[in-house]
Amino acid sequence: MKAPALIDLTTPAENERRALPIFSKKNTNTAMILALLAWTIAVFDYGLFGTLLPAMQEEFGWTETEAYAINTWIAVGTAIVCFGIGPVIDRLGRRKGMMLTVGGTAAVSAITSIIPAGLGFISNAMLVVVRSFGGLGFSEQAVNATYMNEVFQVTEDEKKRKRPGFYYSFVQGGWPLGFLLAAALAFAFLPALGWRALYIMAAIPAAIIVYLIAKKLKETPQFELHEKLTQLEKSGKVDEAHALAGSFGVQHSSTAPLKRIWEPQLRRNTIVFSLAWIVNFFGIMVFSILGSSVLVNSRGVELSDAFWMLIVINALAYFGYVFHGWFGDVIGRKQTIIIGWIISGISFSVMLSPLASSPFLIILTYGIGLFFLVGPYAAIQYFMAECYPVSCRATGLAFIGAMSQPGIILGGALFTIVTAAAGTTAAALWVGALGTLVSGLLMMMAKPIPKELLEDPSA
């Protein structure tokens, strides 16, 4: 049964002016907690594959190069899923969208745990198909950024309304927390229970979170208004739709969301963000997703020690989100992203060089690199949400987020080629570190969109 609307959607009287209802502090805090938990568990599943890749490589009988190739094929399937999910979320709503993405995570984790390893090509194909639907979990961040952007616009909590980037950073920080959880549980349970048990551990909390979202999360008034306007237009009540939109100071667009993000005022950022995500995910793939493999194969670290290092490194990275969320409110989100990714590229280059000759220096330079690599996503997710109107906000964010997968595909191909020719260290340097640096330079071309052009109900 659908929950009653938070907003007055009856036909307005002539020249009537309405305001969106506020989100209470309690509902705002509930939204933040559930969004953080949903993203953390989604990333837990997403990060498990890279974290467990060396162990899975042994059971499936892959060579180092074959393991990287499997990862690349999974990225192809993930891209397909990610590209399709945005328009679905813009039609289903933020609440149902979150249930879909986290529910998909639970299913993918559970099925991954039972895939047989002794069937050669069939086993590999099954793994690629199932793990491709991990794109549902990866797209959860697009739902979060869309949802929290709209919540912070109407919350009664003045602190959160004035400093949305800072408070959103706690939610987006689920990325390093998810990888920390994956590394910590792998460190604790992989030797005794094996990699399959870890995927079961990921499925159970995901299913619980779906239940909590269904019971506790409220839809945003912005989407409820957008949904009502769309229903009126589809039923032929165009004048009534315009009257209702006008009462809230909104100019509603019936253009398909995927088409809207390529309209003149939105096209530039769609292109710039997409290119930046593609090359930045060269670095994400190398240093976050395949972090354990890089430490083992490049720096000669034992696998158990690599897990321990990644626990420390990802704990530091969480504060990278908080810092960049706060810094984005202070100096601007665009500038924050540029500075962070350039510093990250330089730090990873040092980590891969002979200068990082001890475990302490490896952890320090890797930690700084990851701090400035993933931290800016607290700024860029919210920055992107500010650059698209309600009618296509989730589509824009999911579409750009899906560009991470071509980044993994292209970066994975380059990483595999360079690894085969010159080893993991050279591949990590020229693909991961350089890609991160270039992504920071690309962000210089992004352009904030004036609020009045977004046609948001909050405008």
Side-chain angles (χ1 to χ4, degrees), residues 5 15 24 35 40 58 64-65 67 207 225 237 304 323 365 410 412 434 450:
N15 298 323
S24 69
T40 299
E58 182 178 350
E64 182 180 323
T65 302
L225 175 59
K237 301 177 180 178
S304 59
F323 169 78
T365 52
L410 180 57
L434 181 61

Side-chain angles (χ1 to χ4, degrees), residues 42-276:
V43 175
F44 176 31
D45 167 81
Y46 185 77
L48 271 179
F49 184 77
T51 302
L52 300 177
L53 187 58
M56 296 177 70
Q57 177 180 332
E58 182 178 350
E59 183 172 339
F60 280 83
W62 302 324
T63 65
E64 182 180 323
T65 302
E66 287 172 341
Y68 294 149
I70 291 290
N71 184 68
T72 301
W73 280 111
I74 289 174
V76 174
T78 300
I80 295 172
V81 174
C82 287
F83 278 123
I85 197 65
V88 173
I89 295 169
D90 271 326
R91 295 186 184 281
L92 282 180
R94 317 325 186 193
R95 175 176 166 274
K96 291 181 180 178
M98 200 178 295
M99 292 172 62
L100 173 64
T101 54
V102 183
T105 296
V108 168
S109 295
I111 296 172
T112 301
S113 71
I114 61 174
I115 294 176
L119 303 179
F121 173 79
I122 295 176
S123 293
N124 295 350
M126 291 174 64
L127 187 66
V128 168
V129 171
V130 171
R131 293 307 307 167
S132 293
F133 281 92
L136 288 171
F138 184 79
S139 297
E140 208 283 322
Q141 65 180 326
V143 186
N144 276 354
T146 299
Y147 182 73
M148 295 312 305
N149 178 275
E150 293 174 4
V151 168
F152 288 153
Q153 288 174 6
V154 296
T155 181
E156 68 176 358
D157 192 327
E158 189 174 348
K159 291 182 179 179
K160 293 182 176 64
R161 195 168 61 249
K162 289 184 176 180
R163 301 177 64 192
F166 173 69
Y167 286 99
Y168 173 73
S169 69
F170 290 96
V171 174
Q172 186 60 21
W175 177 273
L177 290 182
F179 274 96
L180 187 155
L181 191 61
L185 292 180
F187 179 77
F189 297 109
L190 180 60
L193 301 180
W195 62 267
R196 297 179 185 276
L198 289 163
Y199 279 109
I200 296 175
M201 291 181 189
I204 294 172
I208 294 172
I209 290 170
V210 172
Y211 173 79
L212 291 175
I213 291 171
K215 292 293 184 180
K216 301 293 185 180
L217 204 67
K218 294 183 179 295
E219 186 57 86
T220 66
Q222 293 96 323
F223 180 78
E224 289 187 334
L225 175 59
H226 165 69
E227 185 178 40
K228 178 63 175 180
L229 295 173
T230 301
Q231 290 172 352
L232 289 172
E233 287 191 342
K234 285 183 176 180
S235 61
K237 301 177 180 178
V238 178
D239 291 340
E240 190 174 333
H242 284 302
L244 181 59
S247 69
F248 286 97
V250 179
Q251 294 182 11
H252 181 66
S253 173
S254 59
T255 305
L258 196 57
K259 184 177 180 181
R260 281 216 75 187
I261 66 174
W262 296 102
E263 290 180 347
Q265 70 269 30
L266 304 176
R267 183 188 306 134
R268 173 174 175 159
N269 279 341
T270 299
I271 294 171
V272 171
F273 288 143
S274 296
L275 291 175

Side-chain angles (χ1 to χ4, degrees), residues 288-451:
S288 189
I289 298 172
L290 298 178
S292 59
S293 296
V294 170
L295 287 171
V296 170
N297 297 322
S298 173
R299 307 307 293 158
V301 177
E302 293 293 329
L303 182 58
S304 59
D305 291 336
F307 288 152
W308 177 81
M309 287 182 175
L310 289 173
I311 291 169
V312 175
I313 288 166
N314 280 291
L316 293 173
Y318 180 80
F319 294 99
Y321 281 90
V322 176
F323 169 78
H324 286 88
W326 166 80
F327 204 43
D329 285 334
V330 174
I331 71 165
R333 309 193 209 289
K334 174 182 171 180
Q335 291 81 356
T336 297
I337 299 160
I338 294 168
I339 293 170
W341 283 348
I342 290 176
I343 292 175
S344 176
I346 295 171
S347 183
F348 281 127
S349 298
V350 174
M351 186 275 296
L352 293 164
S353 75
L355 294 174
S357 57
S358 68
F360 171 77
L361 290 175
I362 292 173
I363 291 176
L364 178 64
T365 52
Y366 205 123
I368 293 173
L370 204 62
F371 184 96
F372 287 104
L373 172 64
V374 300
Y377 277 90
I380 196 171
Q381 287 284 354
Y382 207 85
F383 182 44
M384 292 191 306
E386 293 173 327
C387 290
Y388 292 98
V390 171
S391 61
C392 66
R393 182 169 288 148
T395 296
L397 270 64
F399 179 89
I400 295 162
M403 285 298 176
S404 61
Q405 302 311 303
I408 290 179
I409 295 165
L410 180 57
L414 292 172
F415 189 70
T416 303
I417 292 169
V418 179
T419 297
T424 299
T425 300
L429 176 64
W430 294 109
V431 178
L434 181 61
T436 302
L437 180 66
V438 171
S439 66
L441 299 176
L442 281 170
M443 281 301 299
M444 293 180 180
M445 294 185 288
K447 185 178 180 181
I449 304 298
K451 192 174 183 180

Side-chain angles (χ1 to χ4, degrees), residues 26-54:
K26 179 181 178 180
N27 288 337
T28 301
N29 291 333
T30 298
M32 287 185 63
I33 292 170
L34 288 176
L36 171 60
L37 291 175
W39 181 223
T40 299
I41 296 302
V43 175
F44 176 31
D45 167 81
Y46 185 77
L48 271 179
F49 184 77
T51 302
L52 300 177
L53 187 58

